[in-house]
Amino acid sequence: MTLILFIYGTCIGSWLTAMADRYATNTSPFYPASHCDTCQTPLAHWQLVPVCSYLLLRGRCHYCHASIPATTFIMEVTVGLLLTTLHPTTSTRLIWLGLWGFAALCDARTQTFPGWISYATLPLVLWGHPPLVVLLTLTAALCIRVLWPHWRQPLLGDGDFEMMLSYLLLWGMTATARWILLASTLALLQRNAPRRIAFLPYLVISAVCWWLLADA
């Protein structure tokens, strides 16, 4: 069963990466068919097998030999490992992590992400909470949306704040502090970084690390 979940997870990871690439290039999620970003040659079926194709091709296009971003391989393996932890009690949080993982991929490429992700994750984190917590959370989310555009030189994006808010509701204050500390450390370790970096990827990497450590 674990192997089956891992295979399904690698497929989901491959699909999320492809959708993030199409978001970054503003192309349709349905057309054209999967192709090499460098030579634009359509990929054969055997070149679309998650993990295996990357290893078989040694990380390079079969046609033009251009490098395939390692992000693809890493995302496939990571989502595969995450899905092996699937359980009725963890399904909601895994969906939440998958959505923000997709947002992180988009943020890494364009420093933007689809706004619907913020709204889609709210029901996941608010389910089962008292009405007062729901009201306070919705108020905080509204304030982020209204006030952030008026911040002239924001240190963090609105998505960063929204993910922090939802993480706090899911895991509590102590776990959130550890999560942000690890994400901040990873971001500070990046050398030759531009003045403004995409922080969502580090938040997601930190969340994945703590998730897998807790499951170990």
Side-chain angles (χ1 to χ4, degrees):
M1 186 63 181
T2 300
L3 178 59
I4 294 175
L5 287 173
F6 179 79
I7 293 173
Y8 275 118
T10 60
C11 294
I12 294 172
S14 178
W15 178 76
L16 289 175
T17 305
M19 291 301 100
D21 288 338
R22 290 175 184 255
Y23 171 83
T25 56
N26 197 28
T27 54
S28 169
F30 308 105
Y31 180 85
S34 297
H35 56 275
C36 172
D37 292 335
T38 303
C39 65
Q40 306 301 313
T41 305
L43 302 181
H45 295 299
W46 66 271
Q47 297 168 339
L48 296 172
V49 181
V51 179
C52 295
S53 292
Y54 186 92
L55 295 175
L56 184 63
L57 293 167
R58 299 181 180 180
R60 292 189 176 276
C61 173
H62 176 69
Y63 305 104
C64 69
H65 306 293
S67 296
I68 302 172
T71 306
T72 303
F73 177 77
I74 294 171
M75 189 69 176
E76 291 170 353
V77 173
T78 301
V79 179
L81 291 174
L82 287 173
L83 207 64
T84 61
T85 68
L86 180 65
H87 187 271
T89 59
T90 64
S91 57
T92 298
R93 296 185 178 190
L94 280 175
I95 294 172
W96 175 90
L97 190 53
L99 288 170
W100 280 111
F102 172 67
L105 287 172
C106 296
D107 192 35
R109 288 160 170 76
T110 65
Q111 293 201 354
T112 65
F113 70 95
W116 60 264
I117 291 178
S118 299
Y119 303 111
T121 54
L122 274 178
L124 299 176
V125 300
L126 291 176
W127 183 262
H129 283 285
L132 180 59
V133 174
V134 174
L135 178 61
L136 291 175
T137 302
L138 293 177
T139 302
L142 179 62
C143 288
I144 292 172
R145 283 288 172 175
V146 172
L147 297 178
W148 186 84
H150 300 286
W151 191 359
R152 290 187 177 181
Q153 294 182 331
L155 299 176
L156 294 173
D158 52 347
D160 302 327
F161 285 116
E162 289 163 348
M163 187 180 181
M164 290 177 187
L165 177 63
S166 58
Y167 196 99
L168 176 64
L169 289 170
L170 284 175
W171 278 279
M173 184 68 74
T174 302
T176 300
R178 293 198 302 260
W179 167 61
I180 294 176
L181 177 61
L182 177 57
S184 301
T185 302
L186 293 173
L188 289 172
L189 289 175
Q190 181 179 347
R191 296 182 179 180
N192 301 321
R195 184 175 181 182
R196 185 172 181 232
I197 64 172
F199 192 48
L200 266 183
Y202 298 103
L203 290 174
V204 171
I205 291 171
S206 178
V208 170
C209 290
W210 286 113
W211 181 279
L212 294 178
L213 284 174
D215 186 67

